[in-house]
Amino acid sequence: MKLVSSWCYDGSLPESYVMPPETRPGKSIVPLGKSIPVIDFQHMDRNEIVEQIMKAGEEYGFFQVINHGVCEDLMEETMKVAEEFHAMPAMEKEKECSKDPNGSCKLYTSSYSYPREDFHLWRDAVTHPCLPSEECIQFWPENPTKYREVVGAYTVELRKLSCRILDLICDGLGLSNGFFSNDPYQCPKIMINHYPPCPEPSLTLGLSRHRDPSVITILLPGHVLGLQVFKDGEWIGVEPLPNAFVVNIGFLLQIISNGKLKGAEHRVVTNSRNARTTVSYFVYPSDECIIEPAKALVNSCNPAIYKAFKYIDFLTAFILKAEETDETVKELIDLDYY
Ligand SMILES: O=C(O)CCC(=O)C(=O)O
Ligand SMILES: [Fe+2]
């Protein structure tokens, strides 16, 4: 496994990064998603915000949030530390990500299943749990020198923002507030993605089409475009507003909401000019948490459309190879799968 950022300036795209024709982004221009809903947390009243989130969650599975209360300086500093991390030499990055003998902090390239992949992705990433406890932070990188301080402050703010968004979603779904604020749903992880400039952006992808295995994901998208959402059979480019967060509904919330909200399918394309760095904050449950359509949303008129399962089983199925994933996940969650 060699990080893309350590050899990407060689000038050509290796064969193993060339996607099959049906999944390549190609050269066609993807429209920018001016239509992806933008929700203003400061200038709308609560009922209006709930209504807009639900509409966005049903139609797109994606929305942007502005005036969300997270300080702009902290967003900028987080992006700076994220970029500085990926700019360090590969050996330094590896050293900074191997403090936990149990491997809770992971540095990798492409996806978790690099050795089993048919095609590699044009992306490096670092991920780790981000509970604001000393136990958790001791395994984070200490370089760049401000990493722990900045990412620590950022994840505290993101936890507050995620709880606020989830409470609004609870209102919209008719679940009690705090449904997602307690322990089983609060095992967040951060992922810092890096997509270096790519010699052949039409042939490869930064991330292939996927739904996040999360409740929700809050993305700090940076200024370089690359994220695309699949809606009504076509790809739409996401153009983030300044200081906005991009929020998407994860696969788990699709299941918990019994299909009312949509786990958004998305992918990342690369470009030949600018490196792109993004920071994903995933709201994950604990491994042992049972995921199922919320009891309050299920009755004889609205029967459950998914089976109950343990999160760890879902995650295991999810990180298998793409083709197997579909079948293994289906078997786990579909009521009528034999
Ligand atoms: O980098 C991006 O724009 C999206 C990242 C993403 O989809 C993910 O981390 O799951
Ligand atoms: Fe994603």
Side-chain angles (χ1 to χ4, degrees):
M1 178 205 85
K2 241 180 145 199
L3 298 175
V4 188
S5 49
S6 57
W7 55 265
C8 64
Y9 294 104
D10 289 357
S12 64
L13 186 73
E15 198 62 27
S16 58
Y17 286 80
V18 177
M19 292 278 153
E22 60 284 8
T23 45
R24 280 177 206 168
K27 289 202 163 82
S28 55
I29 309 283
V30 164
L32 282 178
K34 292 267 185 269
S35 53
I36 281 187
V38 177
I39 303 180
D40 186 335
F41 272 16
Q42 202 179 328
H43 299 105
M44 289 180 181
D45 71 41
R46 188 178 168 94
N47 289 342
E48 202 181 346
I49 296 175
V50 169
E51 207 175 288
Q52 300 246 347
I53 292 184
M54 293 305 287
K55 190 160 183 287
E58 285 166 28
E59 288 178 10
Y60 291 84
F62 256 95
F63 53 94
Q64 296 193 50
V65 184
I66 54 170
N67 297 317
H68 37 64
V70 180
C71 163
E72 289 166 15
D73 289 348
L74 183 59
M75 294 169 77
E76 254 170 50
E77 276 196 274
T78 304
M79 184 50 74
K80 194 161 160 256
V81 159
E83 287 169 351
E84 281 171 11
F85 176 86
H86 281 289
M88 297 194 309
M91 283 228 318
E92 184 79 8
K93 283 185 268 197
E94 269 161 41
K95 190 181 109 212
E96 292 303 325
C97 295
S98 49
K99 296 180 194 295
D100 182 4
N102 293 319
S104 65
C105 180
K106 291 188 184 63
L107 174 70
Y108 60 93
T109 193
S110 190
S111 81
Y112 282 129
S113 30
Y114 183 93
R116 287 180 280 119
E117 286 170 350
D118 292 332
F119 310 96
H120 300 315
L121 300 165
W122 195 261
R123 164 240 202 186
D124 295 335
V126 57
T127 183
H128 57 71
C130 54
L131 289 170
S133 67
E134 186 44 41
E135 240 168 275
C136 173
I137 293 173
Q138 62 176 322
F139 301 127
W140 293 7
E142 287 171 287
N143 268 317
T145 43
K146 285 182 116 184
Y147 188 96
R148 289 187 179 182
E149 178 194 330
V150 171
V151 176
Y154 180 75
T155 53
V156 167
E157 288 306 305
L158 267 276
R159 183 185 162 113
K160 284 189 220 154
L161 179 62
S162 64
C163 288
R164 186 170 170 199
I165 294 172
L166 285 168
D167 272 348
L168 292 160
I169 291 176
C170 283
D171 267 16
L173 287 173
L175 296 174
S176 54
N177 266 14
F179 183 94
F180 295 104
S181 320
N182 48 26
D183 277 356
Y185 288 104
Q186 285 298 331
C187 296
K189 278 196 180 162
I190 200 149
M191 167 109 78
I192 305 183
N193 299 297
H194 184 70
Y195 315 92
C198 173
E200 292 276 6
S202 65
L203 299 181
T204 194
L205 285 169
L207 270 176
S208 38
R209 180 173 169 171
H210 69 284
R211 290 188 182 98
D212 291 346
S214 62
V215 180
I216 57 168
T217 304
I218 306 181
L219 181 79
L220 179 62
H223 305 298
V224 181
L225 301 183
L227 176 62
Q228 298 181 345
V229 181
F230 197 64
K231 176 161 172 10
D232 301 333
E234 59 173 14
W235 290 103
I236 306 174
V238 176
E239 192 175 17
L241 294 171
N243 301 312
F245 283 109
V246 175
V247 180
N248 77 269
I249 307 291
F251 208 169
L252 302 184
L253 189 51
Q254 174 174 326
I255 292 164
I256 294 164
S257 70
N258 204 27
K260 186 155 172 63
L261 298 175
K262 190 167 119 187
E265 288 190 286
H266 52 288
R267 71 177 183 184
V268 174
V269 297
T270 62
N271 76 83
S272 55
R273 250 169 280 160
N274 302 305
R276 175 165 184 264
T277 304
T278 63
V279 184
S280 303
Y281 178 92
F282 297 107
V283 177
Y284 285 138
S286 62
D287 284 357
E288 299 303 311
C289 184
I290 302 292
I291 303 294
E292 61 186 340
K295 296 247 169 9
L297 305 182
V298 173
N299 53 45
S300 52
C301 304
N302 283 304
I305 60 170
Y306 301 104
K307 292 194 280 201
F309 55 86
K310 211 192 263 183
Y311 181 58
I312 185 71
D313 296 335
F314 175 81
L315 200 58
T316 312
F318 213 84
I319 59 182
L320 289 175
K321 254 175 51 175
E323 314 90 76
E324 289 161 13
T325 301
D326 283 337
E327 284 313 300
T328 329
V329 171
K330 270 193 207 139
E331 187 174 354
L332 191 71
I333 70 177
D334 277 7
L335 273 172
D336 44 9
Y337 190 96
Y338 301 109

